[in-house]
Amino acid sequence: MEVECEDPSQIFLAWEDLYGWELMASSEVMLAKVGLQQDCLTRKMSQLSHGERARAWILRFMLYPFDLYLLDEPDNHLDSEGLNLLSDWLNSLPALIMVSHNRGYLDSVTNQTWFLKAGKLSQTQGGILTWETEKSRMEELERAKYKKLSQKADSLGLAAQNAAKKASSMEGFKFQRSVSNSGSVCKRDEGSGKIVRKDKFQSSASVLKNRANQAQCAAIEAKPFVEKSRSLKIQPTREDIFLCCESPAIHLKSGDRLRIKGKNGSGKSTLLNKLAGNSVFSQAAILAYQDQDAKILPVNGLAWNWIATNFSDLEPEFLLTILGCFGLASLIKNLDFATMSIGERVRLLLGTVLARRPDILLLDEPVNHLDIEARQLLSEGLRDYRGILVFVSHDEDFAQSFSDALEYDCSPMIVCRPCRQNTN
């Protein structure tokens, strides 16, 4: 706290009003509980890693408890130890509303799920897995209802057509009259030679047509929302490349995947930055790097103008296809960085990075701020990628997509060397 005051006693009184001494003592005790070192208290927030900042955020709320917490993706950037810490703390809270796209984590801390999609909010008791089961059941019921209403509309429509045809065929129709041997018309048939009117058949056809239209409208209204199926294909321009770094010793070739692991603050992002700027790789190979939270993007300005300036060599149609996979193609021409959400910024950067058809792909926490569908889309697209992939991720669901990946651990007291995971 900085106070502009000539009287030191006033500063002292202000510090006591804030319970400063108690706060310092509590902070030092709580630091170990949240996995932070003592020197974090004297370091600026900009000097902390993303994971350390997330832990400091948890510490802040532990020191100042509330009755209700509104949390926006608090699990981002935390390692497995930090996630366990966060889970213990969240489960001790009186009430919370949390936004998160980490499927495996949500069930450990929530007992209700609200899901917002296509402008509709659905709600269920239980975690995300319970919601997904209920969602599948409701979708099946919606499909059955739509099918039944569609069949009813088709049946009424066919009946209306048949009634209209029958009414049309009655035009000018006369019943045959009985004639006696003398040629006179039988008394009982007098007047039966009148033209039979088709009004009653037209009325029946009109009623059936109206009922068919009503059934068709009901079917259209009950038609379930079906999201367009999307698939992401990421192909390198070459498949005979290498990437080398001498300190630490990392040597990769086409098809290799390397996961950089480690605790928060152990230097994972620093190592990835080093690979991006100081590694040796094949001549003419395309290296693409995606940073955490898309910090390299501008603060304001039209996104399409930024793309045109920095990625003029990209094929526009291919770029729009990739952006379409992330739900941005229809918006990109009017998107302004000043109004974009962090999720949109991450998806935009990922789209432009992947559209370069990179031979070497470096991803730093790529699924942070991505929704569940986008995470699955990215993991499936990278599964068949034949270039060199190096990534940092604390999301185990995403990391398990690459169970054959090499691993490099940056944690202290661990010898840092690539080693193939034992899958036996």
Side-chain angles (χ1 to χ4, degrees):
M1 180 181 65
E2 294 182 3
V3 179
E4 293 184 3
C5 180
E6 295 181 358
D7 187 356
S9 62
Q10 292 186 18
I11 299 177
F12 182 81
L13 291 174
W15 177 247
E16 286 196 327
D17 288 341
L18 291 172
Y19 300 99
W21 302 116
E22 292 86 348
L23 178 62
M24 286 188 65
S26 299
S27 298
E28 292 177 356
V29 172
M30 296 293 289
L31 274 175
K33 291 186 178 181
V34 298
L36 292 175
Q37 301 296 321
Q38 288 288 334
D39 67 334
C40 287
L41 288 178
T42 59
R43 290 158 60 191
K44 294 182 179 180
M45 290 296 288
S46 59
Q47 297 174 328
L48 303 179
S49 70
H50 285 80
E52 288 173 328
R53 290 182 208 173
R55 289 170 183 263
W57 173 87
I58 297 174
L59 173 61
R60 184 260 189 217
F61 281 111
M62 284 182 170
L63 294 171
Y64 292 96
F66 294 87
D67 298 319
L68 172 65
Y69 293 79
L70 306 179
L71 310 176
D72 193 359
E73 302 202 55
D75 49 307
N76 276 351
H77 307 297
L78 289 174
D79 56 24
S80 58
E81 184 182 282
L83 289 173
N84 291 333
L85 165 71
L86 179 65
S87 178
D88 292 340
W89 175 64
L90 293 179
N91 284 313
S92 70
L93 299 181
L96 68 94
I97 299 176
M98 183 176 84
V99 174
S100 176
H101 300 298
N102 191 332
R103 294 174 70 258
Y105 191 70
L106 282 171
D107 271 345
S108 66
V109 295
T110 60
N111 55 21
Q112 290 189 47
T113 301
W114 298 350
F115 197 90
L116 181 64
K117 190 167 188 178
K120 295 182 179 180
L121 180 67
S122 57
Q123 180 179 353
T124 187
Q125 295 292 327
I128 186 70
L129 296 180
T130 303
W131 176 85
E132 288 178 340
T133 301
E134 180 66 14
K135 176 174 174 286
S136 298
R137 188 182 71 84
M138 293 302 297
E139 287 176 347
E140 186 62 33
L141 291 175
E142 289 177 357
R143 287 192 291 268
K145 180 181 179 181
Y146 173 68
K147 182 179 180 180
K148 184 177 181 179
L149 290 173
S150 297
Q151 289 175 341
K152 180 180 179 180
D154 292 342
S155 178
L156 288 171
L158 182 60
Q161 291 178 9
N162 291 336
K165 289 180 181 179
K166 190 170 184 179
S168 179
S169 67
M170 298 304 293
E171 183 70 45
F173 177 79
K174 293 182 179 180
F175 284 108
Q176 184 178 2
R177 295 176 293 176
S178 299
V179 181
S180 65
N181 291 334
S182 63
S184 61
V185 178
C186 296
K187 292 292 184 182
R188 66 176 183 272
D189 289 337
E190 286 183 358
S192 63
K194 295 179 182 179
I195 296 175
V196 178
R197 298 183 63 83
K198 60 178 182 177
D199 293 0
K200 64 176 182 179
F201 297 100
Q202 288 178 325
S203 177
S204 176
S206 178
V207 170
L208 288 171
K209 185 176 181 180
N210 287 336
R211 290 179 61 190
N213 288 337
Q214 291 173 0
Q216 185 65 36
C217 290
I220 293 174
E221 186 176 346
K223 186 175 182 180
F225 174 78
V226 179
E227 187 175 10
K228 183 179 179 181
S229 178
R230 298 174 294 175
S231 61
L232 189 63
K233 296 188 180 298
I234 310 166
Q235 296 298 334
T237 57
R238 300 174 56 182
E239 294 189 4
D240 56 346
I241 55 169
F242 67 87
L243 173 106
C244 295
C245 181
E246 295 305 324
S247 180
I250 295 177
H251 304 275
L252 303 171
K253 63 181 184 303
S254 291
D256 281 345
R257 292 152 177 181
L258 174 65
R259 180 187 182 187
I260 299 176
K261 301 176 63 177
K263 296 182 178 180
N264 291 141
S266 59
K268 300 182 297 297
S269 295
T270 302
L271 175 57
L272 205 61
N273 277 321
K274 182 175 183 179
L275 292 177
N278 297 316
S279 59
V280 177
F281 53 90
S282 300
Q283 187 176 7
I286 299 175
L287 184 147
Y289 171 60
Q290 173 262 335
D291 70 325
Q292 286 193 54
D293 302 336
K295 298 186 297 297
I296 66 171
L297 295 181
V299 176
N300 50 47
L302 288 176
W304 191 248
N305 291 343
W306 176 80
I307 292 174
T309 302
N310 295 276
F311 299 94
S312 58
D313 57 330
L314 293 182
E315 304 170 28
E317 291 186 3
F318 182 63
L319 173 61
L320 289 175
T321 299
I322 297 292
L323 292 176
C325 290
F326 290 111
L328 293 176
S330 61
L331 308 172
I332 190 63
K333 297 295 179 66
N334 299 314
L335 274 179
D336 192 302
F337 287 114
T339 58
M340 288 172 65
S341 69
I342 189 168
E344 289 174 327
R345 292 172 67 89
V346 169
R347 284 183 283 151
L348 173 63
L349 182 58
L350 268 175
T352 53
V353 164
L354 299 178
R356 296 184 61 198
R357 303 180 190 271
D359 305 306
I360 303 170
L361 187 54
L362 309 180
L363 303 177
D364 195 357
E365 300 282 6
V367 297
N368 276 359
H369 310 293
L370 294 184
D371 57 36
I372 294 173
E373 289 84 356
R375 290 180 180 215
Q376 183 176 358
L377 184 73
L378 180 62
S379 62
E380 290 176 352
L382 290 173
R383 202 169 292 153
D384 298 326
Y385 175 64
R386 299 311 305 159
I388 295 175
L389 172 64
V390 183
F391 68 97
V392 174
S393 180
H394 294 301
D395 187 303
E396 291 301 325
D397 288 340
F398 175 77
Q400 285 304 311
S401 299
F402 316 103
S403 57
D404 61 338
L406 303 167
E407 292 186 357
Y408 187 98
D409 202 317
C410 292
S411 298
M413 307 305 295
I414 294 178
V415 177
C416 295
R417 58 183 178 83
C419 57
R420 188 170 295 277
Q421 185 177 14
N422 185 6
T423 58
N424 294 329

